[in-house]
Structures are given as structure tokens and as C-alpha cells.
Amino acid sequence: AELVPWAADAGGGGWKREARARSVAEVGRHGNMVMAATGRWPFVITQRSTRRPIGSTTLANFDWRHGCVEMGFTWLGRSAWGQGYNEDSKLVLLRHCFEELDLHRVEWQVEELNASSVTPRSRRGHEYEGRYRGGNARPER
């Protein structure tokens, strides 16, 4: 219930494909569909001063055999934007992935129009590896 006001305020700048959650039930559906689906580990992002929830991020698509995971599915309430919460949460999770889970690779799939996700990755030296064109796309010959 504490995530509802933040989820409703998360915006998305027109790039998100899902409508904003505006009720406890919608946050629950989103949680079950996106964050808590099989194989995903959701985390709540909390405000530094109050320790109250302000958003969420997720680890997903674990490939334990090759030591790889995808990090993302992140959202924050607008009033938390630009305060370092996204970057801080990613640093905490990166440390967890490499030092505690002993993974070797962390991937992000970022919508290229979402500057708030692309810019921090570029600033921290993450490498762009290519454009995903969909699950059913065939390679060009």
C-alpha cells in the first residue's frame, strides 16, 4: 500500500508500455506480473531520510550457468527523480551481484528513448552492445 502513491506518480515520460498503477490492486497486479514473476527478484527502493518506499527495481533472467543476470524494471516516484536513488540502488545491486552472488555479468535492456535510463549507464562507462529488435526478429542475410 505504501508504494501506491509513488507508483501512481512514476510517470515514464511516454516510453513505458504500461499504464501507471493508481490503486493497491493495480500495484499488486503490476507486482505479480512484472516484479514478482517466476525468476525475478524485486527490491523496494527506500527514501534515505524516512526509509519509506519510493520505488522498485528488479533482477531477472538469471543465467546461473554462465553467471549472468539482467537488472532493471525500475521505477521511482517523480519527486525522487534526480536525487541519485536510481544510481545508488544500481550500485548496491551490482555489488550484491558480483560480490555475494558471484555473477560475472549484469545486463540492462534500456529503451533508447528513455534518457533517464540511458544517460546514467553511459556516464558510468557501461558498454552499449546493440539494439534488440524483438523475440521473433530474424537476422538479416
Side-chain angles (χ1 to χ4, degrees):
E2 290 183 65
L3 285 172
V4 172
W6 296 97
D9 185 46
W15 61 268
K16 279 200 177 253
R17 292 182 171 90
E18 297 149 11
R20 285 182 272 175
R22 298 190 186 278
S23 70
V24 173
E26 288 176 6
V27 170
R29 276 194 299 278
H30 178 76
N32 288 331
M33 179 180 66
V34 175
M35 295 174 6
T38 301
R40 294 186 185 208
W41 294 8
F43 298 86
V44 173
I45 300 170
T46 59
Q47 190 173 37
R48 290 178 188 98
S49 59
T50 66
R51 307 305 295 162
R52 297 185 61 99
I54 57 172
S56 178
T57 193
T58 305
L59 294 176
N61 301 321
F62 285 88
D63 181 347
W64 295 105
R65 181 173 179 221
H66 296 103
C68 183
V69 70
E70 183 179 341
M71 185 185 297
F73 312 100
T74 304
W75 59 267
L76 287 167
R78 285 185 196 266
S79 61
W81 291 5
Q83 297 181 43
Y85 288 109
N86 187 18
E87 197 163 325
D88 288 352
S89 69
K90 297 299 187 274
L91 289 173
V92 168
L93 279 179
L94 283 169
R95 194 172 302 117
H96 180 66
C97 288
F98 293 123
E99 295 176 8
E100 296 173 32
L101 299 178
D102 198 30
L103 296 170
H104 306 290
R105 178 180 172 90
V106 176
E107 300 175 351
W108 280 279
Q109 292 183 16
V110 178
E111 169 59 56
E112 63 187 354
L113 299 177
N114 180 2
S116 66
S117 288
V118 173
T119 303
R121 303 300 162 272
S122 301
R123 194 171 58 236
R124 299 211 42 84
H126 297 115
E127 187 172 325
Y128 173 79
E129 293 185 345
R131 180 178 290 173
Y132 177 71
R133 300 206 185 265
N136 296 322
R138 294 183 180 194
E140 294 180 20
R141 297 182 185 206

